[in-house]
Amino acid sequence: MGVCGSRSRARSRTRAQGCCAGELLLHALEDLSALDFKKFRDALAHGDLQGRSRIPWGQLEKADWTDTKNLMLDFYGKEDALDVAIYVLERIHLLNAAATLRESREKALVSASSLGLSSSDHRRSYKKAVRQVYSHIKDQNSRVGDSVSLNARYSKLVIVNKHRDEEEREHEIVAMGRRHAEIMKEQANSSIAVADLFKPGPDGWIPKVVVLLGAAGVGKTMTARKIMLDWASDEVFTEFDYVFYIHCREGNLLTGQASVADLIARCYPGSSPPLAEMLRDPERLLFVIDGFDELRFSFDRPQCELCSQPWEQRPVEITLSSLLRRRLLPESSLLVTTRPAALWKLGKCLECERYAEILGFSEAERKDYFHRFFENAEQAAAAFQLVRDNETLFTMCLVPIVCWIVCTVMKQQLRRAGGLAQSPKTTTGIYILYLSALLGSLSGRLKRSVPGVLRRLCCLAADGIWKQKVLFEEKEVQGYALDQREELPLLLNEHLFQRDISCVSTYSFIHLSFQEFFAALFYLLEDEEVQEPLAGPTRDVKKLLESYGNSRNYFMLTVRFLFGLLNEDRRRELEEALGCRIAPRVTQELLSWLQSSQKTALALLTQETGVIRELELCHCLYELQDARLVAAALDPFTGLCLRGLNLNLFDQTVLAFSLGSFPHLEALDLGHCSFLRDGPEGCAGPQPPTLPHRDKQPEEGKPSPLRLLCQALVRSGCELQTLRFDQCQLSATCCAALGSVLGTKPTLRELDLSGNAELGDGGVRMLCEGLRRGACQLQTLRLSCCNLTATGCRELAATLGTAGSLEQLDLSDNPVEDSGLRELCQALAAPGCGVQKLWLWRCRLTEASGEALGAMLPTSPNLRELHLGDNALGDSAMRPLSEGLRHPGCQLRVLRLWRCRLTRASGEALGAILPTSPNLQELHLGDNALGDGAMWPLSEGLRHPGCRLQVLSLRQSQLTGACCADLCAALSTSRSLEHLDLSENDLGDEGVRLLSEALGQPSCTLQRLWLKKSGLSEATLQKLDALREVKPSLNISYI
C-alpha cells in the first residue's frame, strides 16, 4: 500500500501540470485494483448519484479504464464527470483515492487559473458566496450586528402535498394560534420533504413549477433561505447548476429597466458573472421566488407585452411577469412561496404543477425549537414544559412566528423575579407582555418619547393595513415623523421595525401580526391634548369592520386584537407600559358588529339570524376574556353551527370559552368536524384503518377530544336542546364526556352521533350511563354507522326501560344482526319504553328476525314508525311480521321495507293485512322484486273499505304495464291513498294511458304520483299533462 501510495502521489504531482479532466479521471481509474474498478462501475450503473443519470450496466460491464472514462465524459461532461467520480469513490469507501483525485483537480485548477475559471469553478465560487450570505440570520432579539446560525436555529417544518381549488383557499390562514381550519378532511395528506419537492411523482412526471403555501409567519422565507443554504452545501437540488433567490419585496422597489440576466447578476457575488454560461442550460436553473403575495403589480398584461429573451431590457415588473408566466426561460424551474390569499392571483399567471403547504411545527419540532432558542438546556426544558401544559399556548406555537414570540416572552420572564409563574392566555396577552418587556428596558429619556412615537407608529401600521402594505419606503416613514436619529435606532434595535438587508431604505414591522396589533391600537389610543394632525386612515372603526366583513381576507387579526384590547386588565398593563391612555370607546361598535355579522342574506331567508356560523367570532370573544361582555355579545343568539372544520386544541379552547358564557344556547351543531389532539400531525398522513364491527377500547391516558367542550356545556347555564356531532371521527372515550352532559342537561332533547364508526359498543355503554341518570330527558338519539353490535344493543335494551323520554332511536347501518334485534325487541315491549320511531336499515338482519319483529309489534303500543330497509329479510320474515301488523294492539303507522329481498309472496302477505291494519298509513316497498304478480293482492287490500293507507312506494319493483289494470282498480276505489311512487318501473305507453284514465276519474283521490319518464312517448306525456285541467290537485313527477 505504501508503494502504491507513493507512486500515486508522484503521479499527482505530475498531473497537476495542466492536465485535462479526462487525463485526471483516467489516471484515477488506472490506480484502482481490478476489484475496486468493478465496484466503481457497479456504483455508476446502480448507485444513488444524487439525482444524476446512471450509465447503463450494459455499457459498463465490459468497459476498461479508457472506455469508462469516455462514457463518463459523454454522460456528465468534463467537470461533472470528476464530481461524480469523487462521489462514487467516497461511496465505495475508497477515501484515499477520492482525496487524491480531489487534490489533483485542485492543483490542476491552480495551474490553469491564468487561462480563466471553468464553469465548475464559477459554480463553486457562487455556492461559497451563497453559503456566506445565507448561513446566518438576523435575530430580532439580538444587538445590532449580531446574528445566529441558520442551521442552529432552523427546526424542521411539517410540509404536506396539497391539491386544492382556488375557491377552497379563499380565506387567509390566520397565523396566530391555529392552522387553517378548513383543510378537506377527505383528502389523506402526506408529508413531503423539501428535498423531494422536485422529485418525480407516482406517475414518474417531474414538476417544473412548485408552489409552497403557508400562512404569514409559518416559515416560508426561513424555508426558502434554508433551501439556498442546503443547495449551496450540496444537500438538496443537486440537479440544478444554479439556484437564484428573488425576494418579491425587492422586486416591488426596483425601478427602471432590467433583463432577467440583470436580475441574475444581482444574485451573483462579484462583478463578472458568467451569464452566457449560466443561461446556456436553462433547464438546470432554479428560481426561488419568495413572497409572491407581496408583489403589487398587475399580471393582466397581454402576452404581446411580455418578453422572451433573457437579455431583453424591459421594466422589472414585465421581466418578472414574463418569468412567472413562463414566456421567459420556460425550461427553468420555479419554486414560489406565497400566502394562501394570493393563490387566486398566482393562478392567473402560472400553472402550478405541484402544491405543498407548510403547516407549522409538529410537537417534536416545537420542543426542538425551544431547545435551539434557549442557550441553557434547563431553561429550555422549563419553558417548554410550561407552554406544553398550557393547551392554548402550546397549540399557538404550531406557527413558527408565534413560537418565536412565546420563547422571547419566556426568556424575558426568566430574567425577572417572578420567573415563569404567569403566562398569557391570548394572542393579545402575549403581544402586550412582549411589548411591555421591550419598552421596560428603555432609558428614562427614551421612555418619555414613547407615547408620541407610538401614536405615529400606530398610524403608519393602520395606513399599511388599509393599503395592504407590509413594506414602507423611507419617505413614508419620514411622513410620520419616524425618521429622527434618536427614535429610529430604537425601532431597529428593539425590532419594532426591521431593515431589509437588500433594500436599505425600506422598513417593515418584524411581522405582519405586529403591524396588525399596532393597527388595532390605532383605534383605541386617546389623542394628545396638543398634537399636530397626521395624514392617515380614518379612525372610524365601523368602516374597518365593514371592510373586514366584505373581504374576510384582510383585517382578521386586527379585529381580533381590537377585541383583546377591550379587556380591562390587558388595557391597564399596556397603559402602564406605553404611558398612553387607551379608551375602550369602540366596545359597543364591536359588540353590535358581532351581533349583526350573522345576519347574512341566507340567514335572513331561512330565518336563522340567531345562529353563529363562523368560528372567527369565537376567536374574537376569546381574545376579550371578559365573561360579562362575552355573555352580552352572545345574548341574541340561540345556536352555534360550525360544520366541516378541523378543530385543533386551540380552536377547542376558544370554542369552549364561548360555550361557557352562552346564555341562551339551544342548539350546538359541530357535524363533520374533526377534533385534533394536536397540531399538523393530527391531520397529516393517512390514518390507521378502522377495524370493522369491533368494540374499540378507550385509548389509555388520552383525554376525550370533547372534554373541553363538554365541561363548558356542563358549567354553562344554557338550556341546550340539540347537540350534533355526526361524522366527527369520535372514539369511545368521547361518550363519557357526553354522558356527563346528558346527566346534567335536562333540557337536552336531541343527540346526533351518527357516522362515528369508532364509538362501538364501549362508547354506547358509557353513553347509556348518562341516559340512565334521572335528569336526562333525551327524546332523539341517532347512532347510525357507529359500529354497534349485539353487545351494544344489550346495553341499550337495559336502558330503554328506564329512559322513558326517548322517542326516536336511529341504529341504522350498524352490524346489529338478528341477535341484537332480539335484545331490542324485548326492550321495546317493556312497559317503560317510549320509543315511537325506530330506524334499523342496513343492520344485517335476516329472515330469522321476522319472529321477533312480529311478536314485538302487538306489545309495543308506542311504536309508530319502523325502518327496516336494506336488510335480507326475505318473504319468510313477512309472514310473522304480517301477523304482528294485523294484531289489534299494533299501532304502527309507517313501515319501510325497501330493498329487503321481497317477491310476490310478500306482496300477498302485506296485501292481506291492509284491510285489518287501520293504523298503517305508509308502506315503502321499493327496490324489491315484487313483479306484476304482487299487484293484484296489494290492489285488493287497497280497495277494501278498512284500508287507511295513504302512501305506497313501489319504486323499482320490476313492474310492467301488465299490472296497471290492477293499479287502476285500486286508484278508482281507494278513499285513502294519496301518494303513489311508481318510478323506475317500465310501465310503457299502454300501461300509463290506463293509469291516466283512472286518475281522471272523480273517485280517484290521489294527490302525488311518481313515474319513470324514459320510454314514454310524447303523446303519453301530453295525455298526462292534460290531467292537470281535470285534476288540478294532482301532482305528477318524473324521475
Side-chain angles (χ1 to χ4, degrees):
M1 291 181 61
V3 174
C4 291
S6 299
R7 186 173 60 224
S8 177
R9 286 191 293 273
R11 203 175 277 157
S12 296
R13 286 193 294 271
T14 305
R15 295 171 202 152
Q17 308 303 318
C19 292
C20 68
E23 291 176 282
L24 291 174
L25 182 57
L26 180 60
H27 288 307
L29 297 177
E30 289 173 347
D31 281 346
L32 300 179
S33 67
L35 179 60
D36 288 339
F37 181 56
K38 185 175 182 181
K39 290 181 180 178
F40 182 92
R41 287 178 291 143
D42 182 76
L44 274 180
H46 306 108
D48 178 11
L49 301 183
Q50 294 185 310
R52 292 184 174 92
S53 302
R54 291 189 287 265
I55 302 174
W57 178 245
Q59 299 182 40
L60 284 170
E61 185 177 9
K62 297 182 180 181
D64 59 16
W65 297 318
T66 303
D67 295 334
T68 303
K69 179 261 297 183
N70 290 334
L71 284 170
M72 293 182 68
L73 292 176
D74 291 340
F75 257 75
Y76 307 117
K78 293 181 180 180
E79 294 302 322
D80 279 356
L82 291 176
D83 289 335
V84 171
I86 292 171
Y87 178 77
V88 170
L89 289 171
E90 290 176 342
R91 290 279 292 183
I92 61 176
H93 306 295
L94 297 179
L95 303 182
N96 288 336
T100 299
L101 179 56
R102 184 180 289 108
E103 180 183 355
S104 300
R105 181 172 66 177
E106 295 297 330
K107 290 182 178 179
L109 288 174
V110 170
S111 64
S113 59
S114 60
L115 300 177
L117 294 175
S118 68
S119 59
S120 179
D121 295 327
H122 285 299
R123 287 197 295 273
R124 276 193 292 272
S125 175
Y126 177 61
K127 286 185 176 182
K128 181 179 179 181
V130 168
R131 288 195 298 271
Q132 291 175 341
V133 172
Y134 292 93
S135 61
H136 284 72
I137 57 173
K138 182 73 170 65
D139 189 352
Q140 286 88 348
N141 294 323
S142 62
R143 292 165 299 189
V144 174
D146 288 350
S147 61
V148 297
S149 167
L150 176 57
N151 282 331
R153 177 59 62 86
Y154 183 81
S155 291
K156 181 182 176 183
L157 293 161
V158 175
I159 303 176
V160 295
N161 282 323
K162 300 302 296 178
H163 302 280
R164 306 288 301 279
D165 295 332
E166 295 173 5
E167 295 178 0
E168 295 172 319
R169 301 310 307 269
E170 210 170 338
H171 297 290
E172 176 66 23
I173 296 176
V174 178
M176 295 298 130
R178 67 184 183 100
R179 284 188 305 107
H180 193 280
E182 296 173 356
I183 298 172
M184 292 187 67
K185 58 186 177 183
E186 295 88 357
Q187 186 178 4
N189 298 313
S190 58
S191 298
I192 183 172
V194 169
D196 295 334
L197 289 175
F198 286 95
K199 289 290 179 65
D203 56 358
W205 185 68
I206 300 175
K208 301 287 285 185
V209 179
V210 174
V211 172
L212 192 59
L213 296 169
V218 83
K220 298 185 298 298
T221 294
M222 184 75 85
T223 299
R225 294 181 66 88
K226 187 67 165 63
I227 286 172
M228 294 299 298
L229 179 60
D230 287 350
W231 169 79
S233 304
D234 294 325
E235 295 179 11
V236 299
F237 302 156
T238 55
E239 63 268 32
F240 298 112
D241 286 344
Y242 290 94
V243 179
F244 302 111
Y245 178 82
I246 298 176
H247 201 299
C248 292
R249 289 184 186 177
E250 180 181 358
N252 285 330
L253 296 169
L254 292 176
T255 58
Q257 297 193 340
S259 67
V260 75
D262 295 330
L263 296 181
I264 290 174
R266 291 174 61 88
C267 302
Y268 191 85
S271 58
S272 301
L275 294 174
E277 177 194 324
M278 290 177 171
L279 296 170
R280 187 172 57 226
D281 296 316
E283 68 276 2
R284 296 185 66 84
L285 301 181
L286 170 63
F287 291 90
V288 178
I289 300 177
D290 187 24
F292 171 84
D293 49 284
E294 298 183 36
L295 286 176
R296 293 203 298 266
F297 53 77
S298 171
F299 288 91
D300 296 331
R301 296 178 181 275
Q303 289 280 343
C304 61
E305 292 187 15
L306 302 180
C307 59
S308 59
Q309 298 302 317
W311 305 95
E312 188 175 353
Q313 295 281 330
R314 301 294 296 276
V316 171
E317 62 183 72
I318 292 181
T319 300
L320 282 177
S321 294
S322 302
L323 183 64
L324 282 165
R325 293 172 67 177
R326 313 301 282 153
R327 285 293 304 276
L328 191 58
L329 300 179
E331 304 90 348
S332 65
S333 296
L334 300 181
L335 175 61
V336 184
T337 75
T338 181
R339 294 172 71 174
L343 194 57
W344 65 271
K345 180 181 177 183
L346 181 61
K348 286 184 175 181
C349 65
L350 186 64
E351 184 175 345
C352 176
E353 298 169 2
R354 174 173 288 167
Y355 285 100
E357 180 174 9
I358 302 176
L359 297 183
F361 287 141
S362 66
E363 176 172 352
E365 299 307 333
R366 273 174 266 187
K367 184 175 181 179
D368 178 68
Y369 185 89
F370 270 73
H371 282 272
R372 289 174 180 268
F373 186 92
F374 288 90
E375 298 174 359
N376 184 292
E378 291 183 3
Q379 290 182 350
F384 179 77
Q385 190 58 48
L386 178 67
V387 173
R388 184 66 186 87
D389 292 340
N390 185 316
E391 290 181 340
T392 302
L393 283 180
F394 186 67
T395 305
M396 290 167 72
C397 286
L398 170 120
V399 182
I401 186 65
V402 183
C403 206
W404 171 77
I405 294 169
V406 170
C407 284
T408 300
V409 169
M410 295 295 106
K411 200 167 188 177
Q412 291 167 345
Q413 285 187 322
L414 279 168
R415 298 193 184 107
R416 298 176 179 175
L420 298 175
Q422 295 181 349
S423 61
K425 289 183 177 181
T426 65
T427 310
T428 309
I430 289 174
Y431 278 56
I432 289 175
L433 189 58
Y434 172 77
L435 189 59
S436 299
L438 186 151
L439 297 177
S441 64
L442 301 181
S443 66
R445 182 175 59 84
L446 289 178
K447 276 186 178 179
R448 288 191 292 273
S449 66
V450 165
V453 172
L454 184 68
R455 284 183 173 84
R456 296 191 289 274
L457 188 65
C458 292
C459 194
L460 176 68
D463 190 38
I465 291 297
W466 275 102
K467 295 176 180 177
Q468 300 171 27
K469 290 184 64 175
V470 296
L471 197 68
F472 302 93
E473 297 183 39
E474 192 169 15
K475 61 182 180 181
E476 294 175 288
V477 175
Q478 292 173 349
Y480 286 100
L482 289 170
D483 60 336
Q484 291 137 9
R485 295 183 62 84
E486 292 185 354
E487 293 163 349
L488 197 55
L490 163 67
L491 302 177
L492 288 170
N493 291 341
E494 301 297 343
H495 306 288
L496 300 179
F497 278 105
Q498 175 185 336
R499 183 181 293 269
D500 193 305
I501 296 173
S502 58
C503 305
V504 295
S505 61
T506 56
Y507 302 86
S508 70
F509 291 83
I510 59 174
H511 181 253
L512 175 60
S513 58
F514 279 93
Q515 182 178 339
E516 293 175 297
F517 175 81
F518 288 118
L521 199 55
F522 167 78
Y523 291 93
L524 298 176
L525 281 177
E526 288 279 19
D527 293 325
E528 292 179 330
E529 293 183 3
V530 179
Q531 180 185 6
E532 294 182 12
L534 293 172
T538 173
R539 296 180 74 177
D540 184 359
V541 75
K542 291 182 180 179
K543 184 178 179 182
L544 171 73
L545 296 171
E546 180 183 354
S547 297
Y548 168 61
N550 291 335
S551 71
R552 289 296 193 233
N553 283 334
Y554 306 101
F555 311 114
M556 179 182 288
L557 205 52
T558 304
V559 172
R560 278 198 199 180
F561 281 131
L562 277 173
F563 276 89
L565 291 169
L566 293 183
N567 181 278
E568 186 175 347
D569 293 335
R570 301 287 82 77
R571 211 165 54 243
R572 190 183 309 114
E573 291 174 8
L574 200 55
E575 285 178 344
E576 293 175 359
L578 303 181
C580 302
R581 175 155 179 78
I582 302 171
R585 56 174 172 264
V586 300
T587 301
Q588 193 54 50
E589 287 94 330
L590 287 174
L591 296 184
S592 298
W593 166 79
L594 187 144
Q595 292 172 351
S596 62
S597 64
Q598 300 304 288
K599 294 179 181 179
T600 62
L602 179 61
L604 293 170
L605 182 65
T606 58
Q607 297 183 342
E608 292 183 348
T609 55
V611 179
I612 292 177
R613 299 183 180 276
E614 294 180 68
L615 180 63
E616 182 56 30
L617 296 190
C618 297
H619 275 278
C620 290
L621 294 176
Y622 181 78
E623 291 296 319
L624 187 54
Q625 288 292 309
D626 186 322
R628 180 183 59 83
L629 287 178
V630 171
L634 295 174
D635 186 71
F637 299 104
T638 58
L640 182 62
C641 180
L642 303 172
R643 295 181 68 84
L645 302 182
N646 280 355
L647 301 171
N648 60 32
L649 280 176
F650 184 51
D651 294 328
Q652 296 166 42
T653 301
V654 165
L655 191 53
F657 178 79
S658 292
L659 293 178
S661 303
F662 213 130
H664 305 301
L665 181 66
E666 297 178 358
L668 174 60
D669 186 352
L670 297 176
H672 292 254
C673 287
S674 294
F675 298 88
L676 309 177
R677 284 198 174 98
D678 202 0
E681 62 271 22
C683 67
Q687 300 298 314
T690 301
L691 296 177
H693 315 310
R694 291 184 61 185
D695 181 14
K696 194 170 183 177
Q697 295 299 320
E699 299 170 76
E700 294 295 335
K702 292 186 177 180
S704 160
L706 296 186
R707 176 175 57 87
L708 291 174
L709 301 182
C710 289
Q711 286 176 351
L713 289 173
V714 168
R715 291 193 301 265
S716 171
C718 69
E719 297 183 348
L720 188 67
Q721 298 178 19
T722 303
L723 190 55
R724 293 194 177 97
F725 290 106
D726 54 297
Q727 298 193 46
C728 288
Q729 304 173 33
L730 303 182
S731 63
T733 56
C734 301
C735 291
L738 289 168
S740 65
V741 177
L742 288 174
T744 56
K745 287 292 179 185
T747 56
L748 188 61
R749 295 293 182 265
E750 180 179 349
L751 176 60
D752 187 353
L753 297 175
S754 57
N756 292 291
E758 294 187 13
L759 282 186
D761 297 329
V764 171
R765 180 172 60 252
M766 287 185 277
L767 204 61
C768 286
E769 294 176 5
L771 288 170
R772 285 193 287 266
R773 295 178 187 175
C776 180
Q777 296 296 314
L778 197 69
Q779 295 178 355
T780 300
L781 177 60
R782 304 189 188 279
L783 294 171
S784 64
C785 195
C786 287
N787 212 1
L788 181 65
T789 70
T791 302
C793 290
R794 190 176 303 113
E795 294 286 346
L796 275 173
T799 305
L800 292 179
T802 58
S805 63
L806 195 62
E807 297 176 352
Q808 301 185 42
L809 180 60
D810 186 356
L811 302 178
S812 303
D813 205 8
N814 283 298
V816 170
E817 300 183 340
D818 299 323
S819 57
L821 178 74
R822 287 193 291 270
E823 299 283 353
L824 293 172
C825 286
Q826 292 176 8
L828 290 168
C833 180
V835 175
Q836 298 178 14
K837 297 181 180 181
L838 179 62
W839 286 265
L840 291 169
W841 54 265
R842 198 179 300 150
C843 283
R844 300 190 184 181
L845 307 182
T846 69
E847 60 184 27
S849 293
E851 293 292 340
L853 289 167
M856 176 269 296
L857 289 176
T859 57
S860 301
N862 293 317
L863 192 62
R864 298 292 186 270
E865 292 189 23
L866 181 59
H867 300 248
L868 297 171
D870 207 5
N871 286 295
L873 296 176
D875 296 330
S876 299
M878 287 303 103
R879 286 189 288 272
L881 185 62
S882 297
E883 290 300 319
L885 289 167
R886 183 183 286 114
H887 194 281
C890 177
Q891 300 298 311
L892 201 68
R893 296 176 182 173
V894 179
L895 178 60
R896 298 181 185 272
L897 294 167
W898 48 269
R899 202 179 300 148
C900 284
R901 301 187 184 180
L902 308 183
T903 68
R904 173 178 177 173
S906 295
E908 294 174 351
L910 292 170
I913 60 96
L914 292 179
T916 58
S917 300
N919 294 313
L920 191 63
Q921 297 175 0
E922 292 188 29
L923 181 59
H924 298 261
L925 300 174
D927 285 349
N928 285 296
L930 296 176
D932 296 330
M935 289 316 303
W936 183 83
L938 287 172
S939 176
E940 287 296 304
L942 289 169
R943 294 169 62 187
H944 195 280
C947 177
R948 296 292 183 268
L949 198 70
Q950 298 176 8
V951 177
L952 176 61
S953 175
L954 296 169
R955 180 185 182 277
Q956 199 170 340
S957 294
Q958 299 184 16
L959 305 181
T960 70
C963 72
C964 290
D966 294 325
L967 283 170
C968 290
L971 292 173
S972 300
T973 56
S974 173
R975 295 293 178 267
S976 62
L977 192 64
E978 297 177 353
H979 293 186
L980 178 61
D981 187 354
L982 299 174
S983 60
E984 299 301 326
N985 288 293
D986 295 316
L987 302 180
D989 288 326
E990 186 61 33
V992 173
R993 279 196 288 270
L994 283 174
L995 286 177
S996 65
E997 293 175 4
L999 292 169
Q1001 297 296 322
S1003 59
C1004 178
T1005 59
L1006 199 70
Q1007 298 178 10
R1008 191 77 188 268
L1009 174 65
W1010 287 266
L1011 293 170
K1012 180 179 180 180
K1013 188 174 186 179
S1014 64
L1016 299 181
S1017 66
E1018 191 63 32
T1020 300
L1021 294 174
Q1022 291 176 359
K1023 189 174 182 65
L1024 290 171
D1025 288 340
L1027 282 173
R1028 294 178 181 176
E1029 298 180 3
V1030 181
K1031 287 289 186 69
S1033 60
L1034 177 61
N1035 189 323
I1036 300 177
S1037 300
Y1038 301 102
I1039 298 177

